Amino acid sequence: MVLVEKIKENIVLEVVNLLKIKFKLLALCSLILVLSGCFPEERVISSIDTKKIYTEVSNYNFMGEEAVLRFTDIPKRVLVTRPEILDVLAALDVGDRVVMASFPRNMVGQMPDYKKLFPKTELTINDLDKETAVMQRPDFIIGWRRSFRKGGLGSTEYWRDKGVPVYIEENSGPIPAMDPFPPGTVKSEIDFIYNMGKIFGKEKEAAVEIEKIKNALYQAKEMASYKEPKRVLSIAFMKDYIEVFGDKLLLGNIINILGSKNINYPYPFINGEQFLKTDPDVIFVIYTGGTREAEMAMKRLLKEPYAKMRAVKNNKIHLINYKYICAANVRTPVTIKTVYHGLYE
């Protein structure tokens, strides 16, 4: 019995000693936390959590998945890729907020005109890279989709993780026939202008540009309703193949809205033999650059074997500059009128 009591007494003493050691360790940990300024359960709160949301708009990431962009203020240090986006910002009179904009090499000749519209903006040639962009300390980036590829500005997620909203111009996105990015349409051109108006507090100016698009589309649809539908092929000549612009781009969307059929393929490129077999009523030829590229494209159609095609013989070939079918935004009314003319007049 005495032995049992002795064992109990030893166990109690051991428990007391362990509790003392644990208390000392907890006290030591608390002292370390106090001295280091760290406390458990502390949550880092981003500036977007602590500031009132000025506005928010819906856009996409590189893969075309929806992303919501939130702004706590009107952007003051904006980066822009491509002059087509500058056209919208000029119409909204917010050019003083653009710190840097990039131009493709084939549009260098237009830079002096844009410098007059954006005197405070640094204009550069070729795509912006991530390092150059970071140095500009942007609070907003607006770009074509391919600007956010690997080797360019970096992913949209990279910038959004840094607290910088990134907006992909909707109609700069899809590769014809084989891309998950949402189609380019008249509606998405309107959405882009509308969203830029919200972001920069220029809703009235945006509404004026949107009304121009709606009026042009209404008039063209009204006139087209009395016309016979056409079979249309929209192409661009490459060195060894022909690129087909299907319904996923603005041009195809307008053709369909105006009552005609834009011919599609399940792939973005065809050869000369496939082109001949299609034999459409109307051919839209897309070109980049200036008049020299347009003339070269026209000469290819006027030679054999394409000279015998129905559209060529009937003089239903129409040239459209690439800037009017990709990210056309404020130029969309001109695109609509050009397409109507090519289809029915």
Side-chain angles (χ1 to χ4, degrees), residues 207-345:
V208 170
E209 299 301 326
I210 290 170
E211 193 63 24
K212 292 177 185 177
I213 295 174
K214 290 182 176 179
N215 286 340
L217 190 61
Y218 174 82
Q219 292 173 14
K221 283 179 65 177
E222 180 69 15
M223 293 186 294
S225 65
Y226 300 98
K227 305 292 184 179
E228 182 182 349
K230 308 292 183 183
R231 291 178 66 253
V232 188
L233 191 62
S234 308
I235 63 168
F237 283 110
M238 303 299 174
K239 184 178 179 181
D240 299 315
Y241 51 85
I242 299 169
E243 184 174 5
V244 178
F245 291 79
D247 289 344
K248 289 200 73 174
L249 293 180
L250 177 64
L251 180 58
N253 179 241
I254 295 173
I255 290 169
N256 289 328
I257 289 174
L258 298 186
S260 285
K261 177 177 175 53
N262 188 52
I263 299 168
N264 290 268
Y265 286 86
Y267 32 80
F269 306 108
I270 60 175
N271 57 36
E273 184 177 350
Q274 290 171 303
F275 180 39
L276 283 168
K277 286 182 178 179
T278 305
D279 199 22
D281 301 314
V282 178
I283 300 173
F284 285 110
V285 182
I286 293 87
Y287 68 96
T288 58
T291 55
R292 182 174 178 274
E293 288 79 4
E295 291 170 356
M296 289 175 63
M298 187 63 75
K299 284 180 180 178
R300 289 185 66 169
L301 279 172
L302 295 177
K303 293 180 180 179
E304 292 292 342
Y306 305 136
K308 62 185 179 183
M309 295 178 70
R310 182 187 328 176
V312 179
K313 290 190 294 185
N314 294 335
N315 196 29
K316 294 297 292 182
I317 309 167
H318 301 276
L319 296 164
I320 301 182
N321 193 291
Y322 189 69
K323 68 181 181 181
Y324 288 103
I325 67 153
C326 187
N329 49 69
V330 294
R331 293 183 303 275
T332 303
V334 176
T335 306
I336 293 169
K337 293 173 185 177
T338 301
V339 173
Y340 173 83
H341 176 80
L343 291 174
Y344 303 120
E345 293 184 357

Side-chain angles (χ1 to χ4, degrees), residues 9-281:
E9 182 181 342
N10 289 337
I11 291 173
V12 171
L13 288 173
E14 288 294 329
V15 170
V16 171
N17 288 333
L18 287 171
L19 289 172
K20 288 180 179 179
I21 293 171
K22 184 176 181 180
F23 178 79
K24 289 179 180 179
L25 288 173
L26 287 171
L28 180 61
C29 288
S30 298
L31 179 61
I32 292 171
L33 288 170
V34 170
L35 293 175
S36 64
C38 300
F39 291 89
E41 302 302 324
E42 179 182 29
R43 186 170 67 92
V44 178
I45 302 175
S46 68
S47 60
I48 200 75
D49 293 324
T50 59
K51 294 181 180 179
K52 184 179 179 181
I53 301 298
Y54 162 69
T55 192
E56 63 181 32
V57 298
S58 179
N59 191 231
Y60 305 100
N61 63 15
F62 188 84
M63 294 307 296
E65 300 162 334
E66 186 174 358
V68 176
L69 278 60
R70 295 181 175 88
F71 298 83
T72 58
D73 200 357
I74 296 176
K76 297 178 178 65
R77 297 189 59 81
V78 184
L79 294 187
V80 169
T81 71
R82 302 282 307 197
E84 291 86 350
I85 295 171
L86 290 178
D87 293 336
V88 174
L89 302 187
L92 300 182
D93 194 25
V94 293
D96 58 332
R97 297 180 180 273
V98 183
V99 293
M100 180 176 282
S102 64
F103 279 65
R105 192 162 291 277
N106 65 355
M107 297 183 73
V108 170
Q110 300 180 32
M111 290 177 71
D113 294 331
Y114 279 94
K115 191 61 182 176
K116 295 176 183 176
L117 292 172
F118 297 85
K120 297 180 180 179
T121 304
E122 181 179 351
L123 305 182
T124 66
I125 302 172
N126 293 330
D127 288 343
L128 294 174
D129 57 62
K130 187 189 297 183
E131 291 73 21
T132 302
V134 168
M135 290 175 63
Q136 295 297 319
R137 296 177 289 107
D139 58 6
F140 186 31
I141 301 176
I142 318 169
W144 277 25
R145 184 188 181 206
R146 61 171 173 258
S147 302
F148 302 100
R149 69 190 186 282
K150 185 177 180 181
L153 280 171
S155 68
T156 54
E157 287 73 19
Y158 166 81
W159 289 103
R160 289 168 185 168
D161 288 345
K162 291 174 71 69
V164 179
V166 172
Y167 197 107
I168 295 179
E169 211 285 15
E170 291 90 335
N171 279 292
S172 70
I175 298 172
M178 49 180 299
D179 196 294
F181 204 85
T185 63
V186 174
K187 181 184 179 302
S188 56
E189 294 288 13
I190 290 173
D191 289 345
F192 177 63
I193 298 171
Y194 176 79
N195 285 339
M196 291 300 107
K198 279 187 67 175
I199 292 167
F200 289 100
K202 295 286 187 176
E203 289 90 343
K204 290 182 179 179
E205 289 83 351
V208 170
E209 299 301 326
I210 290 170
E211 193 63 24
K212 292 177 185 177
I213 295 174
K214 290 182 176 179
N215 286 340
L217 190 61
Y218 174 82
Q219 292 173 14
K221 283 179 65 177
E222 180 69 15
M223 293 186 294
S225 65
Y226 300 98
K227 305 292 184 179
E228 182 182 349
K230 308 292 183 183
R231 291 178 66 253
V232 188
L233 191 62
S234 308
I235 63 168
F237 283 110
M238 303 299 174
K239 184 178 179 181
D240 299 315
Y241 51 85
I242 299 169
E243 184 174 5
V244 178
F245 291 79
D247 289 344
K248 289 200 73 174
L249 293 180
L250 177 64
L251 180 58
N253 179 241
I254 295 173
I255 290 169
N256 289 328
I257 289 174
L258 298 186
S260 285
K261 177 177 175 53
N262 188 52
I263 299 168
N264 290 268
Y265 286 86
Y267 32 80
F269 306 108
I270 60 175
N271 57 36
E273 184 177 350
Q274 290 171 303
F275 180 39
L276 283 168
K277 286 182 178 179
T278 305
D279 199 22
D281 301 314

